[in-house]
């Protein structure tokens, strides 16, 4: 398996509800990335949104991440995004194109509308080790 996997941790702007964050990401931001990147768009772009629980039923923005073990304070992101590329070469093509000033500006302007860019974290992953029951 030669897939190349990148994960980003993305944090919504506090003035947006989790639903508004998801809606913008899925219906506006991803199409912006697709159009800007063209054939350099990853093979897949999967968004996993952190499950939220209401802190205040009268305020849609007042939510806390559902944390089963650990501290809520440690979860400072709202989406875990997994991008899969065919191979390292496709990833490098994506990275090169993303680095073009006009492409970076277009995607960055969209991201600035719904995420806190200073909290963005992006890492590479090794291939999964999966155990099935």
């Amino acid at each position: 398996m030669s897939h190349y996997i990148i994960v980003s941790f993305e944090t919504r702007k506090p003035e947006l509800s989790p639903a508004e964050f998801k809606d913008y990401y899925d219906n506006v931001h991803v199409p912006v990335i697709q159009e800007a990147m063209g054939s350099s768009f990853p093979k897949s772009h999967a968004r996993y949104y952190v499950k939220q629980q209401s802190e205040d039923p009268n305020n849609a923005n007042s939510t806390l991440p559902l944390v089963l073990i650990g501290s809520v304070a440690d979860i400072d992101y709202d989406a875990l995004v997994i991008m899969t590329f065919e191979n390292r070469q496709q990833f490098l093509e994506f990275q090169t194109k993303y680095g073009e000033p006009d492409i970076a500006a277009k995607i960055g302007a969209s991201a600035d509308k719904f995420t806190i860019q200073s909290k963005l974290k992006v890492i590479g992953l090794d291939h999964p080790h999966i155990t099935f029951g």
Side-chain angles (χ1 to χ4, degrees), residues 103-117:
I103 300 292
K106 184 174 187 173
I107 295 171
S110 176
D112 283 341
K113 292 180 181 175
F114 77 113
T115 64
I116 302 172
Q117 291 292 310

Side-chain angles (χ1 to χ4, degrees), residues 9-124:
F9 299 85
E10 305 193 23
T11 304
R12 70 181 159 94
K13 289 196 167 192
E15 62 268 19
L16 298 176
S17 71
E20 291 167 328
F21 176 78
K22 290 178 196 176
D23 181 62
Y24 188 90
Y25 207 141
D26 291 344
N27 299 309
V28 178
H29 190 63
V30 170
V32 166
I33 299 169
Q34 285 178 304
E35 193 232 308
M37 297 305 291
S39 63
S40 296
F41 189 78
K43 178 180 174 184
S44 67
H45 187 287
R47 293 157 309 283
Y48 292 85
Y49 298 105
V50 174
K51 192 172 283 296
Q52 300 288 324
Q53 56 188 350
S54 179
E55 185 179 32
D56 176 359
N58 299 318
N59 181 352
N61 292 356
S62 180
T63 61
L64 295 172
L66 176 60
V67 176
L68 304 176
I69 297 176
S71 170
V72 167
D74 292 337
I75 310 302
D76 66 347
Y77 52 89
D78 296 273
L80 185 142
V81 179
I82 301 174
M83 293 172 277
T84 304
F85 298 87
E86 286 290 338
N87 50 42
R88 187 173 188 274
Q89 182 59 39
Q90 186 196 19
F91 167 70
L92 293 174
E93 290 168 11
F94 171 88
Q95 198 172 32
T96 298
K97 186 157 187 172
Y98 192 91
E100 294 175 13
D102 57 327
I103 300 292
K106 184 174 187 173
I107 295 171
S110 176
D112 283 341
K113 292 180 181 175
F114 77 113
T115 64
I116 302 172
Q117 291 292 310
S118 63
K119 289 190 172 189
L120 178 66
K121 297 171 192 78
V122 182
I123 61 172

